[in-house]
Amino acid sequence: MTSAAMDSIVAPLLSVAPTRALVDEMFTVRVENLPPCQHFTLHSLHLSEDNDYWEAFGHYTSNHKGTVVPQDYTKGGTYTGKEPMGLLWSLRPVPGSRKGLRLRKMNVCSPLLYTISVYSGHLVVGFRAQAPLASALAERWYMAPGVQRISIKEKAVRGTMFFPPGTEWPLPWTLGYYFGPGEMETTEMKSNYFETAFNIVKDHPRVISNKVGIVGLSLGATVAFYLATESKVVKPCCCVCINGHHFNPSGKHLFDLSYDSFKMHVRKLSAYWIDCFEYQESIIIIYLNFWQMGKINCPMLLVCGEDDQNVPAVEVADDIERMVRAAGKDRLLTRLNYPGAGHLIEVPYAPHFRVTAFMQAKEQKVMIVWGGQTKPHSDAQEDSWQKILDYLQLHLYSCPSLASKL
Amino acid sequence: MDHQYCEVKLSVQPCRALVDEKFKVLVQKAPPGAQLTVRSHHHSENKHEWEAFGHYICDSTGALNLSEDLSLGGTYEGVEPMGLLWSLRPVPGSKPGLRLRKMNVETPMEVTVSVYQGHLSEDFSEQRALAAVVVERWYMAPGVRRIPVTEHGLTATLFLPPGPGRFPAVLDLWGGGGNLMEYRASLLASHGFAALVLDYLTNELTKTTGKMMENDYFEVAFKFLEQHPQIVGSRIAMWGLSFGTAMTLKMAVYSNVIKLRCAVCYSGSHIQPVDGSVKDIKEYMGKKRENIRVTENQEVIFRDLTLPVPKDPAFKVDMGRLQCPLQVVVGLDDQSWPAYESAMDMKVMMEEAGNSHLLTLLTYPHTGHLIEPPYSPYVRTSILRPFPGGVSFKVLWGGETAAHSRAQEDAWRKTLLFLREHLYDMRNSAVTSKSNL
């Protein structure tokens, strides 16, 4: 090619639509003006709040017009097949990263930033060592414009309330108990902590007091089971429980149980919970008491990852179903099972983590196996989120007489 | 606790978008067959309030879809999914002659969309909305870089798309109101074109020396782009509006330095002293002040200033010498410049010279002078403050709201396709006609 012709070469046109979206919305990536019928790699790069780099990529061939779109079939990369959102859900730490990383946004008032690029050839490593042919930036937001975020520090309860934008009408509410083992203080938390939190929400002037639901993941789901069955103080309108257990240790209050007492009973806590199956059996043997799930009086949605390696989600859900049926209340219970999904069923397009590190009490770092295979786990996140939103819409916005099993 | 609450759901998707992107507005769970008003409200940067609204009837399921349902009244009528934006107007009681223009392109325009019971036309602040959402409308995509340029005496801002480049570029010229209006250039960069918006009337050099810029000022701006490491020097276009069209045509035809890949001219004319620059064009117009008309509402009409189209070639750009593709966009109700008469004359000149294949002419009925990016609120008149000083006056721009807004949407899309075709060599087979005359 002549020098004049080289001077006239312009970059391919890479566009992302929409460039700004909520994290549960889809986007489309399009690259145009490429040489036709050649190999290219689409790549996404994200720098986390913890300063770790995460990436995903797919291998494509441009068509005769010189265009590549991720709806095309990809045979290689961190995802395969026709996967328009693969550049997000298959994100993983770049080679050489610290072990056991987990991606979680702490500041929800700012967006996640992804650099989407196109490279020549089918690359697997070395993306940062060479210049892409073109790139674009996509913003993914956890908050819509106008949503108000208010920190709560009241009666020893710490939390955050998020108000939808606009109107002054009171609103139905969802109380989210989201934490996993080790993420709260391991000093014993009394069960009335959660009842106090529930009442702070219920009594708020902008909240419809008989329309407060609970969404809980992991230990948060356990809290929801406790409140729905045992609490004399709170009456949730509905509950969404993701991969929780219903074990009630020795009949004591919920947070007289701490993880120290778990460890006392566990034979061995190894660096990887490869003995997790043994561990689960040991829990089942030791804890003969369970929350009496037949006592629920509100609709409850159970979300189970069938490959959950942290909590025996399927066995727990089977047991809960048995108890609820025995009490003649199966119309209240809805269950969603996801084969191949692990413990951490998060919002759509969030990366999947099979194993991550966390700090146990007293600075003991362990690697926890959460389970799941990436593709089925990501499908579970996408499917369950919409069903959870529909479930909350049904039970928090509609009249009781219209509520029915999904 | 008051258990009375409202089930009505309102969604606007997407909640964050570029200003030239459409949104979908949906209402659900209203009482079946209810009369509803959907309203948009915006607080401008200079603290004025703008609003638009449509009167609807929802269906038997209590749903409303602004992409399918008819507005029966309000600031717009018919099936108009974007009417809540393009029909925005100052709220009653506002200062007269306002115009909505975004000065800071790094922040979004925030619009609150609300639903009210009944068909309301006023006193919205005294009603309780059934539901409301906030949407952000952006002039800049994430990753676009905004770079003020003051080298070589220029007063300009460069917008670069994200990525390594290299990019084609557009030199963006606005009209006689002056100032550095960045929003078109930032949008172009959001679509993959580097863009340099140039202030040539109220720029620093003119303000400090009192002298208007000569033609070499524009050539310096062009060279700045041509030599930029992330710009392909052989793929530069110029886009002028109003007075900016006059300079674009002059440079495209006569400059030995400026070699354009293509040019875009909105709402302007080729009528000017060809041997001269900004000052000479202004003086030429100044000599014909008797042609200015004023309406009974004290609105000034400038369009006759340079009419009739002169026969003397010294007073119109020799379009037969143009060597690059040119897209000319004309509002047939332009009350500020004789854009239609000029376009007709340019067409004849080019047909006689044999280069009319370079010309794409788009004319829009009932469309005024200020053909802006899509969904920008339309104004028929606004106050103009002359530079360097003098009494403000009201200018008549022309056009009718709905037709003008459709023209903005269509012209923008066609201009982006034109730029993609000539600056990126990307031909879109859907656009083959050269003129819609």
Side-chain angles (χ1 to χ4, degrees), chain A residues 14 37 69 71 147 166 173 195 267 274 301-302 345 373 390:
Chain A
L14 192 159
C37 306
V69 289
Q71 295 87 290
V147 167
W173 260 85
E195 287 164 331
R267 286 196 294 275
I274 51 178
L301 174 67
L302 298 181
I345 297 181
Q373 303 299 323
D390 290 342

Side-chain angles (χ1 to χ4, degrees), chain A residues 222 245-249 257 262 283-284 287 289-291 312 316:
Chain A
T222 307
H245 69 74
H246 64 318
F247 309 138
N248 171 12
L257 162 70
F262 256 122
I283 296 270
I284 291 165
Y287 293 106
N289 288 323
F290 304 90
W291 303 122
V316 166

